[in-house]
């Protein structure tokens, strides 16, 4: 059956739309009291992520509050390293941690090849249930992390400010790094294709730490692997739009435009007018309101939304989003102000 609202899919393919579609990265999460309630019932983050009924519930929560044009499946980018045996857990206030981080080529060689349909079956079950419950109301997005962004967590053993260990690993053990990135790439291709087969209508690759690399290292250690992911998805699911979101990489947008992706996510440090010039109409663009604008007064949010719409300007291929995710401290009402302003000011 066809989607009742397919604005997002059309915009990702740079086709005509009556207005600009809108969703928000991290739109399901701790800023919503109803999320915190389910999270409390689950006990910990991974118990929530592994429960398909709860995944479906929290994925759909933002759609009950806001007239969004898409929902993103509730999960995490770190499910793949967890399935490879690294032992993911979360420490309150400190973020994700791995019991068994990677520190040598031997660790990389010992990583098992995963079967996404069994090892990550809980993700596919969550997607299938959510897709069925959505009943074609809006598109469902699947996602994965970029191989480089996953490597940072796997080598650091958790979050990092400097990426000291991860970058030293690239530089000192580049052969092991490439082996690890290739294993993650192969798993990510299977993972995204399985998500699409389970009901995802589009997929996004989160390269949250792409901007930590120099242009040269970015190309070799991040973009080349994301290109393989795009090609691997397109070979099985040529019609499914793929979004690449590297944060902090204005200097790379022009080469990213040739990655084969349908759309590039843009953070708030690059004007969309410049991003459009750099990408020459080859891809749609997604973004890019500074998330912190949602801490401002309603009138300010409205005027900042208009600035983003005007910066993109006339023409097809804009998906409105934040330039990065919602924060746990944000007020849900502020997201409503953003969504309604996009709907109001982007009518063709
Ligand atoms: O609504 C959505 O966007 C879907 C769900 C989603 C989550 N994580 C849920 C989550 C998505 C798309 C992600 C991706 C993700 N996870 C990224 C890439 C996106 C980005 O923001 O750059 C990264 C880097 C991660 C790794 C990760 N997982 C971090 C840094 C954290 C936060 C830890 C903390 O305590 O602040 C997580 C945990 C996580 N993933 C939470 C949520 C809602 C919060 C944990 C909780 O509820 O206890």
């Amino acid at each position: 059956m066809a989607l009742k609202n397919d604005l997002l899919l059309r915009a990702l393919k740079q086709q005509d739309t009556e207005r600009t579609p809108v969703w928000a990265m991290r739109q399901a999460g701790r800023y919503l009291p109803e999320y915190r309630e389910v999270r409390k019932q689950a006990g910990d983050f991974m118990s929530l992520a592994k429960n398909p009924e709860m995944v479906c519930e929290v994925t759909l929560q933002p759609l009950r509050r806001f007239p969004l044009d898409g929902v993103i499946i509730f999960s995490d980018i770190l499910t793949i390293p967890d399935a490879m045996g690294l032992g993911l857990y979360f420490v309150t206030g400190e973020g994700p941690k791995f019991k068994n981080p990677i520190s040598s080529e031997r660790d990389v060689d010992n990583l098992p090849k995963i079967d996404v349909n069994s090892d990550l079956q809980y993700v596919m079950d969550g997607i299938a249930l959510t897709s069925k419950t959505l009943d074609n109301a809006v598109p469902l997005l699947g996602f994965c992390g970029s191989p480089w962004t996953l490597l940072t967590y796997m080598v650091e053993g958790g979050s990092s400010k400097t990426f000291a260990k991860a970058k030293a690993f690239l530089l000192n053990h580049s052969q092991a790094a490439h082996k690890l990135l290739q294993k993650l790439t192969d798993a990510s291709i299977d993972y995204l294709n399985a998500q699409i087969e389970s009901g995802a209508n589009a997929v996004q690759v989160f390269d949250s730490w792409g901007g930590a690399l120099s242009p040269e290292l970015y190309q070799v250690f991040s973009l080349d692997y994301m290109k393989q992911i795009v090609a691997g998805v397109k070979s099985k699911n040529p019609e499914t739009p793929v979004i690449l979101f590297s944060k902090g990489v204005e200097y790379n947008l022009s080469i990213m435009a040739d990655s084969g992706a349908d759309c590039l996510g843009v953070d708030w440090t690059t004007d969309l007018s410049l991003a459009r010039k750099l990408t020459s109409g080859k891809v749609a663009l997604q973004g890019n309101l500074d998330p912190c604008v949602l801490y401002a007064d309603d009138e300010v949010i409205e005027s900042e939304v208009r600035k983003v719409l005007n910066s993109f300007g006339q023409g097809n291929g804009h998906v409105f989003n934040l330039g990065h995710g919602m924060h746990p401290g944000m007020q849900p009402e502020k997201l409503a102000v953003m969504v309604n302003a996009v709907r109001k000011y982007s009518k063709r």
Side-chain angles (χ1 to χ4, degrees), residues 106-119:
R106 187 143 48 108
D107 292 341
V108 175
D109 289 335
N110 287 339
L111 287 175
K113 183 172 160 35
I114 61 167
D115 176 346
V116 294
N117 282 309
S118 52
D119 299 325

Side-chain angles (χ1 to χ4, degrees), residues 17-231:
T17 54
E18 307 79 78
R19 60 172 174 79
T20 305
V22 53
W23 67 283
M25 290 189 276
R26 293 282 186 108
Q27 66 190 20
R30 283 171 293 186
Y31 75 103
L32 290 175
E34 58 270 35
Y35 169 82
R36 296 197 298 270
E37 189 51 43
V38 177
R39 170 76 174 64
K40 201 164 87 190
Q41 276 172 35
D44 60 84
F45 179 80
M46 284 312 279
S47 303
L48 167 52
K50 290 185 176 181
N51 180 319
E53 284 76 28
M54 286 181 165
V55 164
C56 175
E57 165 60 22
V58 298
T59 300
L60 298 181
Q61 281 173 348
L63 191 60
R64 291 192 201 117
R65 279 186 183 250
F66 320 112
L68 295 158
D69 297 302
V71 291
I72 182 160
I73 192 67
F74 186 84
S75 189
D76 201 82
I77 61 167
L78 302 177
T79 51
I80 286 183
D82 185 53
M84 289 178 164
L86 267 67
L88 174 64
Y89 65 103
F90 287 87
V91 179
T92 312
E94 287 178 53
K97 302 258 181 217
F98 286 118
K99 285 196 195 98
N100 315 303
I102 298 287
S103 58
S104 67
E105 184 152 6
R106 187 143 48 108
D107 292 341
V108 175
D109 289 335
N110 287 339
L111 287 175
K113 183 172 160 35
I114 61 167
D115 176 346
V116 294
N117 282 309
S118 52
D119 299 325
L120 293 166
Q121 195 195 336
Y122 64 89
V123 177
M124 307 315 152
D125 289 347
I127 290 176
L129 180 62
T130 306
S131 171
K132 186 169 156 248
T133 312
L134 258 176
D135 195 21
N136 292 298
V138 294
L140 174 61
L141 289 137
F143 70 90
C144 69
S146 77
W148 154 245
T149 292
L150 295 181
L151 180 149
T152 67
Y153 289 95
M154 295 170 84
V155 171
E156 299 281 345
S159 301
S160 168
K161 287 210 167 79
T162 59
F163 304 105
K165 287 184 194 164
K167 287 193 192 176
F169 195 75
L170 295 190
L171 297 167
N172 291 333
H173 307 283
S174 66
Q175 187 186 309
H178 279 299
K179 249 195 238 175
L180 175 53
L181 292 165
Q182 192 60 54
K183 284 190 176 200
L184 293 168
T185 299
D186 295 344
S188 300
I189 292 169
D190 288 353
Y191 190 42
L192 292 182
N193 281 324
Q195 292 185 30
I196 294 164
E197 275 138 39
S198 303
N201 304 103
V203 292
Q204 173 158 327
V205 182
F206 284 91
D207 186 30
S208 308
W209 310 127
L213 295 171
S214 67
E216 185 195 341
L217 294 188
Y218 174 80
Q219 167 112 30
V220 179
F221 288 107
S222 189
L223 184 58
D224 283 354
Y225 291 96
M226 293 198 288
K227 275 189 189 168
Q228 281 192 48
I229 295 177
V230 177

Side-chain angles (χ1 to χ4, degrees), residues 14 257 262 275-285 312 316-317:
Q14 297 183 269
D262 301 271
R276 249 184 127 171
K277 282 196 198 100
L278 292 171
T279 56
S280 331
K282 293 175 189 168
V283 286
L285 296 174
F312 184 85
N316 294 335

